[in-house]
Amino acid sequence: KEKDKTLSNRFAFFKDERLHKVLGLFFLLAAFYFLFAFISYLISWKLDDHNFSKPALDYILNKTAPAENWMGRMGAFLSYIFIKQWFGAASFLFVLVFLVTGLKLFLNIKLLPIGLTYKYTFFGLIWVSVSCGYLFFTKPEYIILGGIFGYESNIWLQGILGEIGTGLILVFALLSFLIIAFNITFRWYKRKMKEAKEDETAEPITETKEEDDKVFAKKTINKNNTLKDTDDDASDNEKKSTIELEVSTGEDEEKRSE
């Protein structure tokens, strides 16, 4: 019983709300610290990297050592470890993890499900790092985006599967993750195919309608021309009858005069 009490007392410390708030505040501040340090490192990494040829502790504690990073020598060192030595640009996912954890512990705000955030972040760290290393494998100036982890992983994968095979395995991993995590059914593809078929069947109807309109217009023109011809014939007949009437009238008058 005494052992159970001592164990409960020890675990009670971790259940203390005050500890949760302190840890939450720490993670919130760490999220912003890492965010600005990472952004600054992507800008000034070429100027800061030469400082890490000597022991990191000597550089951090050296008062005269220069640091171009916005967050000082510690920010430059942490960014060097997380971005260059580890996961490259995917290290920004740590900022998301710190932010979600800090909000939950400090303010009890559930920005995202913590468990799912950790799982998806783990996949994102691996996949984004290896993908950036794959895309920029032949461009040394951009290798930093995949980090050493992404670069070394591509050397290993391309040695086994080749360049095309590595690209296919990355696509397979991404689609598999989306199917498992979000149960994507790819119905959008069927919908696109259905719309394409509807467009194909709609085109002949439009053409038939246009042809019908042309035929109707031709009939109308022919009808108008026929009516015009009929009117012209009628007017000619009237003129002929008028002339014949005038001639006959003139002959009658001559006979009378004789």
Side-chain angles (χ1 to χ4, degrees), residues 219-237:
K219 288 182 178 180
T220 305
I221 293 170
N222 293 333
K223 185 177 180 181
N224 292 333
N225 291 334
T226 304
L227 292 174
K228 186 177 180 181
D229 294 338
T230 305
D231 293 338
D232 292 339
D233 294 338
S235 60
D236 292 339
N237 292 331

Side-chain angles (χ1 to χ4, degrees), residues 16-168:
D16 192 347
E17 184 179 356
R18 292 170 294 181
L19 176 63
H20 294 173
K21 290 182 178 179
V22 171
L23 290 176
L25 180 61
F26 172 78
F27 280 116
L28 279 177
L29 296 178
F32 288 102
Y33 186 88
F34 275 85
L35 176 63
F36 291 117
F38 289 168
I39 294 174
S40 178
Y41 182 75
L42 292 178
I43 299 172
S44 61
W45 66 275
K46 292 182 179 179
L47 300 175
D48 285 335
D49 273 8
H50 72 279
N51 294 316
F52 301 111
S53 57
K54 51 188 175 182
L57 188 61
D58 293 342
Y59 168 70
I60 294 173
L61 298 178
N62 187 357
K63 296 180 181 180
T64 59
E68 298 296 330
N69 195 286
W70 298 340
M71 310 312 289
R73 291 188 292 272
M74 180 61 75
F77 172 70
L78 291 174
S79 301
Y80 170 79
I81 295 297
F82 277 83
I83 293 181
K84 188 168 186 179
Q85 295 296 319
W86 288 356
F87 304 107
S91 298
F92 279 92
L93 291 172
F94 284 106
V95 176
L96 177 63
V97 171
F98 293 156
L99 182 63
V100 171
T101 305
L103 288 175
K104 178 61 179 176
L105 293 175
F106 185 63
L107 300 174
N108 198 24
I109 295 176
K110 191 176 182 181
L111 183 64
L112 293 170
I114 292 181
L116 290 178
T117 301
Y118 292 165
K119 292 178 182 178
Y120 295 168
T121 299
F122 176 75
F123 173 81
L125 285 172
I126 305 300
W127 190 86
V128 173
S129 177
V130 177
S131 297
C132 289
Y134 174 77
L135 293 174
F136 305 109
F137 187 73
T138 57
K139 299 179 180 179
E141 64 273 18
Y142 297 113
I143 287 178
I144 189 175
L145 296 176
I148 297 298
F149 174 80
Y151 180 74
E152 293 293 336
S153 297
N154 272 276
I155 292 177
W156 180 68
L157 287 172
Q158 292 190 27
I160 297 174
L161 303 174
E163 184 176 356
I164 297 176
T166 302
L168 291 176

Side-chain angles (χ1 to χ4, degrees), residues 178-190:
L178 294 175
I179 293 171
I180 294 171
F182 304 106
N183 194 20
I184 295 179
T185 58
F186 299 98
R187 291 179 181 175
W188 58 270
Y189 178 76
K190 294 182 179 179

